[in-house]
Amino acid sequence: MYLIYSALLALVLILGFPYWLLEMLRHGKYRKGLAERLGQVPAPIRSSRQRTLWVHAVSVGEVLAISELVRGLRADFPQHRVLISTTTDTGQKLASERFGDENVFYFPLDFAFSSRRWISALRPELVVIAETEFWPNFLRVARASGVRIAIVNARISDRSLPGYRRWSKLLRRVLAGVDLFLAQTSEDANRLVAIGAPAGRVSVGGNLKYDVPVSQAPAIAGQLRTALGKSHAGPVLVCGSTVENEELLLLGAFKNVLASHPAAVMLLAPRHPQRFSEVATLLEQLNVKFWRRSLWDGADLKGGVLLIDTIGELSGLYALADLAFVGGSLVPRGGHSIIEPAQHGVAILVGNHTENFRDIVGLFQSRDAVRVVGPAELPLAFMELLANPAQRQEMGRRAAATMASQRGATQFALSRLKALLADGAGGDDRS
């Protein structure tokens, strides 16, 4: 099975090479960390003789989710170094800022040779994988080396479940090497078992993202707050993590807002950095007054859009919002997390495609702490909430209260990981 899988993976990489090369040349994607992905371990990481715990977080969302878990592991295991791997460049940048460049690297491509080099160099006692990164060769190599493996914050989305079910017979062999699964919800736990995870190793641990502390506000947030106050601009709409075909809908709704609130401001943050220029072009074509955040010089923003063309600042900017919209949800992309605006007690709108965050959105909906709208309803929802400050503020208070009620997943995960390491010290009893 593993030989066939490796051959297919190699074939995909060969066939996809022209695309990867084009993306490298156009956007610089995949270029960074290529040697690390192929198994080259940097000298600073290789040279340490400390005992090691390895935490893997794919991208920005997962890095945020595991931040408190990493802090807890460092506190509870001071004799160990805690290293963090990511897959994306944006995740790498955020992880380096949070945990230090010397503790962060790119996760290897899923070939036995590259995984084996990293496992051999780091000799981790425990690998913790956030969410659902089921890499067959990596898990096989780690298990063969006696490494304890835990998957935390695990979730199986509606979109991925059918595919996992089709390969459940093969997945059963892959997942047999994992010692612990901590699912976000009981539904996720049931789905993990259905696709092959050993039932006795699956527990419901809650969602680590509820424990993420409010991010330190970026410097631009203070500058914006001052500028908005001086010019009496507002209300402020923060539209975050938007994807292709959403900005057009949001800008159409914003034009309606401006008819009643001519001093309104939109902070528009596309999800993917490679789309910043594309969205700037769209704003120009629509004749919308806008500034790029990277070039903004303190100009009066009334009646215009500030395009957030930077990474890592969106979370802190939600604090400026009178109303927040979280993207990836007006079009069938599955949505993005609403936790960051909820942390700031902001009224939140999302579109009706939130399958990837069904449980979080469902919980907030049940407490009237988020509004779900379709594209046609979006302008009216903006107008209604902006016209009713008391209603809007109460929605924000309910969002913050919902956040507070769900905390505790990090401490539960830490307790289970400590037990797993203690058990590992006595020998490997996996079958």
Side-chain angles (χ1 to χ4, degrees), residues 362-370 395 398-399 401-403 405-406:
L363 173 65
F364 276 69
Q365 267 191 292
S366 72
R367 300 186 181 187
D368 195 19
V370 68
M395 273 185 65
R398 287 193 292 267
T402 301
M403 281 288 300
S405 72
Q406 299 299 304

Side-chain angles (χ1 to χ4, degrees), residues 29-50:
K29 292 178 67 176
Y30 313 116
R31 185 186 306 161
K32 295 178 181 177
L34 182 60
E36 293 178 13
R37 298 180 202 270
L38 292 173
Q40 181 175 316
V41 183
I45 290 180
R46 179 188 293 275
S47 62
S48 175
R49 294 186 178 182
Q50 270 186 283

